[in-house]
Amino acid sequence: MDENRVEMLVEELEAGSKHEEKLWRKLLPGVVSGATGNDLREMIREPLFGLLHELGETALGAKLKLVIERTPTFPTAELLPLILELCGELRHDSEQAVRELERMLSELATPIVRIWAEVLLVPLIGSLDSDRAQGMAEKLLERVSTTRAKVVVVDVTGVPTIDTAAGGFLIETFSAVKLLGAEVILTGLKPEIAHTLVKLGIDFRMVVIARDLEDALRQAIAMIEEDRSRQRKIVWTRGSNFPGEGGEHDGI
Amino acid sequence: MDGKLRELLDISENDFDVVVRITREEDIAIARQMAKQLAQELGFSLADVTKVATAVSELARNIYRYAQTGKIMIRKRLEESGGPAIQVVAADRGPGIDNVDRVLARGYTTHERSLGIGLPGVRRLMDFCEIASKVGTGTVVRVEKRRRKF
């Protein structure tokens, strides 16, 4: 294969970028060399994959058509299975990427923020169905248990509708959080959603409701203070019963 | 009842403004979105838009959960005497319901992760609710909500 012809072809292909030009220069000598079987595959696999990635199937197809017209010895039949194989690989890669993004999205969409000592904030965003909601519940329970949080503030401002499935999911999650010994404060219910919940018969009376985030935080701090003073009282009572152990310490 | 179900199952899609086929979980959100948009176009109040969207969400989830596939059809009805209304028909050729009265009672469910308040909830959210179903043939739920005057 003479270099001139490859050069002419490359020029005719009007590569959009230097990178594309380089790939064609690598690919063309291979396909017009007359090589077959594994030798051919070996030579063209990498640049072909690069071009597929760079141009996409449609544009590459159009350009290959031009090459085939100019090259009578073009090994079309040999190239076909290889191209299909590469397309499959490319699709697999992009599916992998989509899955990765979905996973990232579900993590990003349900942040759990520590807003005060022993207080976690969960701002829920988007619709509450499917695995995403399930993942969120698991993550929250895990965090409540590891951080020993006493209050979880759940903000549903970013949830567009709550149907029985979403409501059921919330009730389940709230019950599980309470079983771990933490309190739940629900906030961000919009008036139209409140109305719908009543009609559906979904009852959130099991948790504390706050008007807004400010109210939620105030109630959360009050709950923690109450909890602390109760614990102090327990220590104090014990101390008076067992003067030898804690009485002196508490007296200071 | 049987004739009614046949009639409802064969209802023409052409008469509706929107037809959403339910085959994946994401389709529930699409049906909900469509219902919301049509109710907004009819000038429903925000509370009623949310009620319609929630009812459609409920019906679409029932299709996905029990029949796997089916369709949600929605139309605006401007010619009604009581003012403009929205009509939703949820149709599937799934397993069907053997006792319609029982599913309309609170707390009845055959699904492990359900509150059993879906269909009675839908009935309370809307102005009109009619269910036709036969085991082995399918289920059609037709609901309607009128625009309220303030």
mmCIF file of all heavy atoms in Angstrom, chain A residues 57-104:
data_model
loop_
_atom_site.group_PDB
_atom_site.id
_atom_site.type_symbol
_atom_site.label_atom_id
_atom_site.label_comp_id
_atom_site.label_asym_id
_atom_site.label_seq_id
_atom_site.Cartn_x
_atom_site.Cartn_y
_atom_site.Cartn_z
ATOM 1 N N GLU A 57 -21.415 5.998 15.686
ATOM 2 C CA GLU A 57 -21.656 5.015 14.607
ATOM 3 C C GLU A 57 -21.994 5.682 13.278
ATOM 4 O O GLU A 57 -21.478 5.292 12.230
ATOM 5 C CB GLU A 57 -22.817 4.084 14.981
ATOM 6 C CG GLU A 57 -22.557 3.150 16.145
ATOM 7 C CD GLU A 57 -23.071 3.718 17.453
ATOM 8 O OE1 GLU A 57 -23.080 4.985 17.575
ATOM 9 O OE2 GLU A 57 -23.461 2.945 18.331
ATOM 10 N N THR A 58 -22.843 6.696 13.314
ATOM 11 C CA THR A 58 -23.364 7.263 12.066
ATOM 12 C C THR A 58 -22.260 7.935 11.251
ATOM 13 O O THR A 58 -22.081 7.651 10.062
ATOM 14 C CB THR A 58 -24.467 8.297 12.367
ATOM 15 O OG1 THR A 58 -25.229 7.828 13.473
ATOM 16 C CG2 THR A 58 -25.363 8.490 11.177
ATOM 17 N N ALA A 59 -21.515 8.816 11.910
ATOM 18 C CA ALA A 59 -20.475 9.559 11.193
ATOM 19 C C ALA A 59 -19.372 8.612 10.718
ATOM 20 O O ALA A 59 -18.862 8.739 9.602
ATOM 21 C CB ALA A 59 -19.890 10.631 12.101
ATOM 22 N N LEU A 60 -19.028 7.638 11.559
ATOM 23 C CA LEU A 60 -17.996 6.679 11.158
ATOM 24 C C LEU A 60 -18.473 5.882 9.954
ATOM 25 O O LEU A 60 -17.706 5.647 9.005
ATOM 26 C CB LEU A 60 -17.661 5.739 12.321
ATOM 27 C CG LEU A 60 -16.603 4.675 12.011
ATOM 28 C CD1 LEU A 60 -15.246 5.325 11.737
ATOM 29 C CD2 LEU A 60 -16.470 3.667 13.135
ATOM 30 N N GLY A 61 -19.730 5.495 9.965
ATOM 31 C CA GLY A 61 -20.298 4.738 8.852
ATOM 32 C C GLY A 61 -20.179 5.507 7.544
ATOM 33 O O GLY A 61 -19.757 4.963 6.518
ATOM 34 N N ALA A 62 -20.528 6.794 7.599
ATOM 35 C CA ALA A 62 -20.474 7.632 6.401
ATOM 36 C C ALA A 62 -19.037 7.724 5.873
ATOM 37 O O ALA A 62 -18.792 7.626 4.662
ATOM 38 C CB ALA A 62 -21.020 9.014 6.723
ATOM 39 N N LYS A 63 -18.105 7.892 6.786
ATOM 40 C CA LYS A 63 -16.701 8.034 6.359
ATOM 41 C C LYS A 63 -16.142 6.711 5.848
ATOM 42 O O LYS A 63 -15.372 6.678 4.877
ATOM 43 C CB LYS A 63 -15.862 8.578 7.512
ATOM 44 C CG LYS A 63 -16.187 10.049 7.776
ATOM 45 C CD LYS A 63 -15.188 10.753 8.639
ATOM 46 C CE LYS A 63 -15.487 12.254 8.632
ATOM 47 N NZ LYS A 63 -14.579 13.042 9.441
ATOM 48 N N LEU A 64 -16.547 5.623 6.495
ATOM 49 C CA LEU A 64 -16.074 4.309 6.021
ATOM 50 C C LEU A 64 -16.598 4.034 4.608
ATOM 51 O O LEU A 64 -15.915 3.413 3.791
ATOM 52 C CB LEU A 64 -16.525 3.200 6.977
ATOM 53 C CG LEU A 64 -15.622 2.929 8.174
ATOM 54 C CD1 LEU A 64 -16.200 1.817 9.026
ATOM 55 C CD2 LEU A 64 -14.196 2.564 7.745
ATOM 56 N N LYS A 65 -17.805 4.505 4.344
ATOM 57 C CA LYS A 65 -18.398 4.301 3.023
ATOM 58 C C LYS A 65 -17.523 4.940 1.956
ATOM 59 O O LYS A 65 -17.264 4.364 0.889
ATOM 60 C CB LYS A 65 -19.798 4.923 3.001
ATOM 61 C CG LYS A 65 -20.676 4.345 1.919
ATOM 62 C CD LYS A 65 -22.091 4.867 2.032
ATOM 63 C CE LYS A 65 -22.741 4.787 0.669
ATOM 64 N NZ LYS A 65 -23.624 5.905 0.406
ATOM 65 N N LEU A 66 -17.038 6.124 2.278
ATOM 66 C CA LEU A 66 -16.154 6.837 1.366
ATOM 67 C C LEU A 66 -14.866 6.049 1.126
ATOM 68 O O LEU A 66 -14.400 5.910 -0.010
ATOM 69 C CB LEU A 66 -15.837 8.209 1.965
ATOM 70 C CG LEU A 66 -15.189 9.251 1.049
ATOM 71 C CD1 LEU A 66 -15.845 10.591 1.308
ATOM 72 C CD2 LEU A 66 -13.700 9.353 1.290
ATOM 73 N N VAL A 67 -14.314 5.523 2.231
ATOM 74 C CA VAL A 67 -13.081 4.740 2.120
ATOM 75 C C VAL A 67 -13.317 3.501 1.250
ATOM 76 O O VAL A 67 -12.493 3.155 0.396
ATOM 77 C CB VAL A 67 -12.566 4.324 3.516
ATOM 78 C CG1 VAL A 67 -11.323 3.450 3.394
ATOM 79 C CG2 VAL A 67 -12.267 5.547 4.362
ATOM 80 N N ILE A 68 -14.472 2.855 1.469
ATOM 81 C CA ILE A 68 -14.770 1.638 0.704
ATOM 82 C C ILE A 68 -14.888 1.950 -0.794
ATOM 83 O O ILE A 68 -14.381 1.207 -1.639
ATOM 84 C CB ILE A 68 -16.077 0.987 1.220
ATOM 85 C CG1 ILE A 68 -15.889 0.451 2.639
ATOM 86 C CG2 ILE A 68 -16.527 -0.152 0.307
ATOM 87 C CD1 ILE A 68 -17.166 0.077 3.359
ATOM 88 N N GLU A 69 -15.520 3.091 -1.104
ATOM 89 C CA GLU A 69 -15.662 3.487 -2.519
ATOM 90 C C GLU A 69 -14.311 3.704 -3.178
ATOM 91 O O GLU A 69 -14.108 3.373 -4.345
ATOM 92 C CB GLU A 69 -16.488 4.780 -2.609
ATOM 93 C CG GLU A 69 -17.973 4.528 -2.570
ATOM 94 C CD GLU A 69 -18.760 5.800 -2.300
ATOM 95 O OE1 GLU A 69 -18.166 6.901 -2.321
ATOM 96 O OE2 GLU A 69 -19.972 5.679 -2.048
ATOM 97 N N ARG A 70 -13.364 4.266 -2.441
ATOM 98 C CA ARG A 70 -12.040 4.589 -3.001
ATOM 99 C C ARG A 70 -11.096 3.382 -3.019
ATOM 100 O O ARG A 70 -10.074 3.414 -3.656
ATOM 101 C CB ARG A 70 -11.376 5.701 -2.178
ATOM 102 C CG ARG A 70 -12.146 6.988 -2.101
ATOM 103 C CD ARG A 70 -12.051 7.770 -3.406
ATOM 104 N NE ARG A 70 -12.717 9.059 -3.242
ATOM 105 C CZ ARG A 70 -14.044 9.223 -3.394
ATOM 106 N NH1 ARG A 70 -14.816 8.216 -3.735
ATOM 107 N NH2 ARG A 70 -14.580 10.425 -3.205
ATOM 108 N N THR A 71 -11.430 2.342 -2.241
ATOM 109 C CA THR A 71 -10.508 1.221 -2.106
ATOM 110 C C THR A 71 -11.165 -0.078 -2.567
ATOM 111 O O THR A 71 -11.995 -0.641 -1.851
ATOM 112 C CB THR A 71 -10.088 1.038 -0.626
ATOM 113 O OG1 THR A 71 -9.957 2.306 -0.029
ATOM 114 C CG2 THR A 71 -8.788 0.266 -0.513
ATOM 115 N N PRO A 72 -10.834 -0.565 -3.753
ATOM 116 C CA PRO A 72 -11.476 -1.772 -4.258
ATOM 117 C C PRO A 72 -11.171 -3.003 -3.405
ATOM 118 O O PRO A 72 -11.992 -3.919 -3.310
ATOM 119 C CB PRO A 72 -10.892 -1.941 -5.664
ATOM 120 C CG PRO A 72 -10.007 -0.774 -5.920
ATOM 121 C CD PRO A 72 -9.841 0.014 -4.684
ATOM 122 N N THR A 73 -10.033 -2.993 -2.751
ATOM 123 C CA THR A 73 -9.638 -4.188 -1.983
ATOM 124 C C THR A 73 -10.095 -4.114 -0.534
ATOM 125 O O THR A 73 -9.641 -4.871 0.314
ATOM 126 C CB THR A 73 -8.108 -4.334 -1.981
ATOM 127 O OG1 THR A 73 -7.543 -3.131 -1.441
ATOM 128 C CG2 THR A 73 -7.580 -4.591 -3.378
ATOM 129 N N PHE A 74 -11.012 -3.205 -0.217
ATOM 130 C CA PHE A 74 -11.410 -2.997 1.183
ATOM 131 C C PHE A 74 -12.078 -4.256 1.777
ATOM 132 O O PHE A 74 -13.009 -4.804 1.187
ATOM 133 C CB PHE A 74 -12.390 -1.830 1.279
ATOM 134 C CG PHE A 74 -12.606 -1.356 2.685
ATOM 135 C CD1 PHE A 74 -11.744 -0.434 3.255
ATOM 136 C CD2 PHE A 74 -13.660 -1.850 3.450
ATOM 137 C CE1 PHE A 74 -11.924 -0.006 4.548
ATOM 138 C CE2 PHE A 74 -13.843 -1.431 4.752
ATOM 139 C CZ PHE A 74 -12.968 -0.501 5.297
ATOM 140 N N PRO A 75 -11.584 -4.731 2.928
ATOM 141 C CA PRO A 75 -12.106 -5.995 3.502
ATOM 142 C C PRO A 75 -13.401 -5.794 4.283
ATOM 143 O O PRO A 75 -13.454 -6.027 5.502
ATOM 144 C CB PRO A 75 -10.972 -6.449 4.414
ATOM 145 C CG PRO A 75 -10.291 -5.187 4.839
ATOM 146 C CD PRO A 75 -10.486 -4.173 3.733
ATOM 147 N N THR A 76 -14.457 -5.390 3.586
ATOM 148 C CA THR A 76 -15.724 -5.076 4.252
ATOM 149 C C THR A 76 -16.237 -6.227 5.114
ATOM 150 O O THR A 76 -16.597 -6.050 6.275
ATOM 151 C CB THR A 76 -16.806 -4.749 3.210
ATOM 152 O OG1 THR A 76 -16.237 -3.906 2.224
ATOM 153 C CG2 THR A 76 -17.989 -4.070 3.845
ATOM 154 N N ALA A 77 -16.238 -7.417 4.509
ATOM 155 C CA ALA A 77 -16.800 -8.578 5.201
ATOM 156 C C ALA A 77 -16.055 -8.878 6.497
ATOM 157 O O ALA A 77 -16.655 -9.259 7.496
ATOM 158 C CB ALA A 77 -16.773 -9.791 4.288
ATOM 159 N N GLU A 78 -14.749 -8.687 6.471
ATOM 160 C CA GLU A 78 -13.957 -8.979 7.673
ATOM 161 C C GLU A 78 -14.180 -7.932 8.751
ATOM 162 O O GLU A 78 -14.097 -8.213 9.942
ATOM 163 C CB GLU A 78 -12.464 -9.008 7.301
ATOM 164 C CG GLU A 78 -12.100 -10.181 6.424
ATOM 165 C CD GLU A 78 -10.915 -10.913 7.013
ATOM 166 O OE1 GLU A 78 -10.822 -10.969 8.255
ATOM 167 O OE2 GLU A 78 -10.111 -11.414 6.221
ATOM 168 N N LEU A 79 -14.445 -6.708 8.283
ATOM 169 C CA LEU A 79 -14.571 -5.601 9.212
ATOM 170 C C LEU A 79 -15.895 -5.650 9.989
ATOM 171 O O LEU A 79 -15.956 -5.243 11.143
ATOM 172 C CB LEU A 79 -14.491 -4.282 8.424
ATOM 173 C CG LEU A 79 -13.718 -3.160 9.095
ATOM 174 C CD1 LEU A 79 -12.293 -3.591 9.346
ATOM 175 C CD2 LEU A 79 -13.749 -1.920 8.215
ATOM 176 N N LEU A 80 -16.916 -6.174 9.330
ATOM 177 C CA LEU A 80 -18.261 -6.124 9.905
ATOM 178 C C LEU A 80 -18.363 -6.714 11.315
ATOM 179 O O LEU A 80 -18.817 -6.030 12.241
ATOM 180 C CB LEU A 80 -19.259 -6.797 8.946
ATOM 181 C CG LEU A 80 -20.713 -6.657 9.354
ATOM 182 C CD1 LEU A 80 -21.141 -5.192 9.327
ATOM 183 C CD2 LEU A 80 -21.606 -7.488 8.435
ATOM 184 N N PRO A 81 -17.919 -7.999 11.502
ATOM 185 C CA PRO A 81 -18.048 -8.540 12.860
ATOM 186 C C PRO A 81 -17.251 -7.756 13.890
ATOM 187 O O PRO A 81 -17.697 -7.587 15.031
ATOM 188 C CB PRO A 81 -17.518 -9.975 12.740
ATOM 189 C CG PRO A 81 -16.944 -10.097 11.390
ATOM 190 C CD PRO A 81 -17.397 -8.974 10.540
ATOM 191 N N LEU A 82 -16.089 -7.248 13.466
ATOM 192 C CA LEU A 82 -15.260 -6.492 14.402
ATOM 193 C C LEU A 82 -15.982 -5.211 14.841
ATOM 194 O O LEU A 82 -15.989 -4.868 16.029
ATOM 195 C CB LEU A 82 -13.920 -6.140 13.734
ATOM 196 C CG LEU A 82 -12.945 -5.345 14.616
ATOM 197 C CD1 LEU A 82 -12.562 -6.145 15.853
ATOM 198 C CD2 LEU A 82 -11.700 -4.961 13.828
ATOM 199 N N ILE A 83 -16.607 -4.553 13.880
ATOM 200 C CA ILE A 83 -17.308 -3.305 14.210
ATOM 201 C C ILE A 83 -18.475 -3.581 15.160
ATOM 202 O O ILE A 83 -18.682 -2.868 16.145
ATOM 203 C CB ILE A 83 -17.801 -2.593 12.927
ATOM 204 C CG1 ILE A 83 -16.591 -2.009 12.195
ATOM 205 C CG2 ILE A 83 -18.811 -1.497 13.248
ATOM 206 C CD1 ILE A 83 -16.914 -1.224 10.967
ATOM 207 N N LEU A 84 -19.194 -4.659 14.871
ATOM 208 C CA LEU A 84 -20.305 -5.018 15.765
ATOM 209 C C LEU A 84 -19.801 -5.277 17.178
ATOM 210 O O LEU A 84 -20.404 -4.851 18.163
ATOM 211 C CB LEU A 84 -21.032 -6.263 15.232
ATOM 212 C CG LEU A 84 -21.974 -6.022 14.067
ATOM 213 C CD1 LEU A 84 -22.586 -7.330 13.598
ATOM 214 C CD2 LEU A 84 -23.073 -5.041 14.455
ATOM 215 N N GLU A 85 -18.697 -5.969 17.233
ATOM 216 C CA GLU A 85 -18.115 -6.301 18.533
ATOM 217 C C GLU A 85 -17.735 -5.025 19.289
ATOM 218 O O GLU A 85 -18.026 -4.874 20.478
ATOM 219 C CB GLU A 85 -16.880 -7.176 18.291
ATOM 220 C CG GLU A 85 -16.282 -7.768 19.546
ATOM 221 C CD GLU A 85 -14.947 -8.439 19.216
ATOM 222 O OE1 GLU A 85 -14.903 -9.213 18.233
ATOM 223 O OE2 GLU A 85 -13.979 -8.165 19.931
ATOM 224 N N LEU A 86 -17.107 -4.108 18.559
ATOM 225 C CA LEU A 86 -16.683 -2.855 19.194
ATOM 226 C C LEU A 86 -17.879 -2.018 19.643
ATOM 227 O O LEU A 86 -17.857 -1.401 20.710
ATOM 228 C CB LEU A 86 -15.805 -2.046 18.237
ATOM 229 C CG LEU A 86 -14.446 -2.669 17.917
ATOM 230 C CD1 LEU A 86 -13.720 -1.836 16.865
ATOM 231 C CD2 LEU A 86 -13.580 -2.794 19.165
ATOM 232 N N CYS A 87 -18.932 -2.014 18.806
ATOM 233 C CA CYS A 87 -20.151 -1.292 19.193
ATOM 234 C C CYS A 87 -20.707 -1.849 20.503
ATOM 235 O O CYS A 87 -21.128 -1.101 21.382
ATOM 236 C CB CYS A 87 -21.222 -1.418 18.107
ATOM 237 S SG CYS A 87 -20.992 -0.290 16.749
ATOM 238 N N GLY A 88 -20.703 -3.174 20.579
ATOM 239 C CA GLY A 88 -21.188 -3.829 21.791
ATOM 240 C C GLY A 88 -20.379 -3.401 22.999
ATOM 241 O O GLY A 88 -20.932 -3.099 24.056
ATOM 242 N N GLU A 89 -19.064 -3.360 22.824
ATOM 243 C CA GLU A 89 -18.181 -2.959 23.915
ATOM 244 C C GLU A 89 -18.476 -1.525 24.354
ATOM 245 O O GLU A 89 -18.541 -1.223 25.542
ATOM 246 C CB GLU A 89 -16.728 -3.042 23.444
ATOM 247 C CG GLU A 89 -15.900 -4.024 24.241
ATOM 248 C CD GLU A 89 -14.536 -4.206 23.602
ATOM 249 O OE1 GLU A 89 -13.708 -3.292 23.731
ATOM 250 O OE2 GLU A 89 -14.325 -5.246 22.966
ATOM 251 N N LEU A 90 -18.645 -0.681 23.349
ATOM 252 C CA LEU A 90 -18.910 0.725 23.617
ATOM 253 C C LEU A 90 -20.221 0.892 24.384
ATOM 254 O O LEU A 90 -20.322 1.668 25.323
ATOM 255 C CB LEU A 90 -18.987 1.487 22.286
ATOM 256 C CG LEU A 90 -18.577 2.942 22.307
ATOM 257 C CD1 LEU A 90 -17.127 3.082 22.716
ATOM 258 C CD2 LEU A 90 -18.776 3.563 20.928
ATOM 259 N N ARG A 91 -21.232 0.120 23.954
ATOM 260 C CA ARG A 91 -22.522 0.215 24.618
ATOM 261 C C ARG A 91 -22.424 -0.272 26.052
ATOM 262 O O ARG A 91 -22.984 0.319 26.971
ATOM 263 C CB ARG A 91 -23.577 -0.600 23.855
ATOM 264 C CG ARG A 91 -24.965 -0.023 24.023
ATOM 265 C CD ARG A 91 -26.034 -0.911 23.458
ATOM 266 N NE ARG A 91 -26.010 -2.223 24.061
ATOM 267 C CZ ARG A 91 -26.313 -3.334 23.406
ATOM 268 N NH1 ARG A 91 -26.654 -3.275 22.139
ATOM 269 N NH2 ARG A 91 -26.287 -4.502 24.007
ATOM 270 N N HIS A 92 -21.667 -1.347 26.218
ATOM 271 C CA HIS A 92 -21.469 -1.874 27.561
ATOM 272 C C HIS A 92 -20.845 -0.805 28.461
ATOM 273 O O HIS A 92 -21.271 -0.598 29.589
ATOM 274 C CB HIS A 92 -20.570 -3.109 27.489
ATOM 275 C CG HIS A 92 -20.311 -3.730 28.811
ATOM 276 N ND1 HIS A 92 -21.222 -4.549 29.437
ATOM 277 C CD2 HIS A 92 -19.260 -3.619 29.664
ATOM 278 C CE1 HIS A 92 -20.740 -4.920 30.590
ATOM 279 N NE2 HIS A 92 -19.551 -4.372 30.765
ATOM 280 N N ASP A 93 -19.821 -0.118 27.901
ATOM 281 C CA ASP A 93 -19.157 0.947 28.652
ATOM 282 C C ASP A 93 -20.131 2.039 29.049
ATOM 283 O O ASP A 93 -20.127 2.512 30.187
ATOM 284 C CB ASP A 93 -18.030 1.575 27.812
ATOM 285 C CG ASP A 93 -16.803 0.684 27.777
ATOM 286 O OD1 ASP A 93 -16.838 -0.369 28.451
ATOM 287 O OD2 ASP A 93 -15.831 1.023 27.081
ATOM 288 N N SER A 94 -20.977 2.438 28.067
ATOM 289 C CA SER A 94 -21.871 3.558 28.379
ATOM 290 C C SER A 94 -22.956 3.134 29.366
ATOM 291 O O SER A 94 -23.367 3.915 30.216
ATOM 292 C CB SER A 94 -22.482 4.145 27.105
ATOM 293 O OG SER A 94 -23.271 3.193 26.470
ATOM 294 N N GLU A 95 -23.383 1.875 29.264
ATOM 295 C CA GLU A 95 -24.361 1.386 30.248
ATOM 296 C C GLU A 95 -23.765 1.393 31.649
ATOM 297 O O GLU A 95 -24.410 1.753 32.627
ATOM 298 C CB GLU A 95 -24.824 -0.036 29.883
ATOM 299 C CG GLU A 95 -25.945 -0.034 28.863
ATOM 300 C CD GLU A 95 -26.211 -1.416 28.298
ATOM 301 O OE1 GLU A 95 -25.622 -2.403 28.804
ATOM 302 O OE2 GLU A 95 -27.003 -1.507 27.346
ATOM 303 N N GLN A 96 -22.501 1.002 31.692
ATOM 304 C CA GLN A 96 -21.783 1.013 32.970
ATOM 305 C C GLN A 96 -21.764 2.439 33.540
ATOM 306 O O GLN A 96 -22.007 2.645 34.726
ATOM 307 C CB GLN A 96 -20.343 0.539 32.706
ATOM 308 C CG GLN A 96 -19.593 0.156 33.948
ATOM 309 C CD GLN A 96 -19.729 -1.340 34.214
ATOM 310 O OE1 GLN A 96 -20.214 -2.085 33.357
ATOM 311 N NE2 GLN A 96 -19.315 -1.776 35.374
ATOM 312 N N ALA A 97 -21.479 3.380 32.643
ATOM 313 C CA ALA A 97 -21.397 4.784 33.066
ATOM 314 C C ALA A 97 -22.746 5.267 33.583
ATOM 315 O O ALA A 97 -22.817 5.968 34.593
ATOM 316 C CB ALA A 97 -20.927 5.652 31.902
ATOM 317 N N VAL A 98 -23.821 4.869 32.882
ATOM 318 C CA VAL A 98 -25.164 5.286 33.302
ATOM 319 C C VAL A 98 -25.475 4.731 34.692
ATOM 320 O O VAL A 98 -25.985 5.423 35.570
ATOM 321 C CB VAL A 98 -26.227 4.823 32.285
ATOM 322 C CG1 VAL A 98 -27.631 4.987 32.859
ATOM 323 C CG2 VAL A 98 -26.106 5.615 30.992
ATOM 324 N N ARG A 99 -25.124 3.452 34.874
ATOM 325 C CA ARG A 99 -25.378 2.834 36.190
ATOM 326 C C ARG A 99 -24.618 3.563 37.287
ATOM 327 O O ARG A 99 -25.136 3.821 38.370
ATOM 328 C CB ARG A 99 -24.972 1.355 36.149
ATOM 329 C CG ARG A 99 -26.144 0.447 35.821
ATOM 330 C CD ARG A 99 -25.860 -0.979 36.257
ATOM 331 N NE ARG A 99 -24.752 -1.547 35.516
ATOM 332 C CZ ARG A 99 -24.859 -2.074 34.288
ATOM 333 N NH1 ARG A 99 -26.025 -2.109 33.690
ATOM 334 N NH2 ARG A 99 -23.812 -2.563 33.673
ATOM 335 N N GLU A 100 -23.373 3.893 36.970
ATOM 336 C CA GLU A 100 -22.529 4.605 37.925
ATOM 337 C C GLU A 100 -23.160 5.961 38.282
ATOM 338 O O GLU A 100 -23.228 6.343 39.442
ATOM 339 C CB GLU A 100 -21.141 4.803 37.304
ATOM 340 C CG GLU A 100 -20.127 5.438 38.204
ATOM 341 C CD GLU A 100 -19.750 4.548 39.381
ATOM 342 O OE1 GLU A 100 -20.019 3.320 39.333
ATOM 343 O OE2 GLU A 100 -19.221 5.083 40.348
ATOM 344 N N LEU A 101 -23.656 6.650 37.245
ATOM 345 C CA LEU A 101 -24.292 7.954 37.462
ATOM 346 C C LEU A 101 -25.553 7.820 38.303
ATOM 347 O O LEU A 101 -25.818 8.645 39.171
ATOM 348 C CB LEU A 101 -24.632 8.606 36.118
ATOM 349 C CG LEU A 101 -23.462 9.265 35.389
ATOM 350 C CD1 LEU A 101 -23.892 9.707 34.002
ATOM 351 C CD2 LEU A 101 -22.924 10.452 36.167
ATOM 352 N N GLU A 102 -26.327 6.774 38.013
ATOM 353 C CA GLU A 102 -27.550 6.555 38.790
ATOM 354 C C GLU A 102 -27.223 6.348 40.266
ATOM 355 O O GLU A 102 -27.896 6.875 41.145
ATOM 356 C CB GLU A 102 -28.301 5.327 38.260
ATOM 357 C CG GLU A 102 -29.212 5.648 37.095
ATOM 358 C CD GLU A 102 -29.829 4.404 36.480
ATOM 359 O OE1 GLU A 102 -29.499 3.280 36.935
ATOM 360 O OE2 GLU A 102 -30.623 4.563 35.548
ATOM 361 N N ARG A 103 -26.163 5.592 40.498
ATOM 362 C CA ARG A 103 -25.761 5.329 41.866
ATOM 363 C C ARG A 103 -25.339 6.637 42.549
ATOM 364 O O ARG A 103 -25.715 6.932 43.677
ATOM 365 C CB ARG A 103 -24.601 4.325 41.872
ATOM 366 C CG ARG A 103 -24.355 3.666 43.224
ATOM 367 C CD ARG A 103 -23.108 2.812 43.168
ATOM 368 N NE ARG A 103 -21.944 3.563 42.745
ATOM 369 C CZ ARG A 103 -21.282 4.419 43.515
ATOM 370 N NH1 ARG A 103 -21.675 4.642 44.750
ATOM 371 N NH2 ARG A 103 -20.241 5.094 43.056
ATOM 372 N N MET A 104 -24.549 7.428 41.806
ATOM 373 C CA MET A 104 -24.104 8.711 42.327
ATOM 374 C C MET A 104 -25.284 9.624 42.626
ATOM 375 O O MET A 104 -25.338 10.280 43.656
ATOM 376 C CB MET A 104 -23.187 9.399 41.304
ATOM 377 C CG MET A 104 -21.729 9.288 41.638
ATOM 378 S SD MET A 104 -20.747 9.846 40.242
ATOM 379 C CE MET A 104 -21.104 11.581 40.253
#
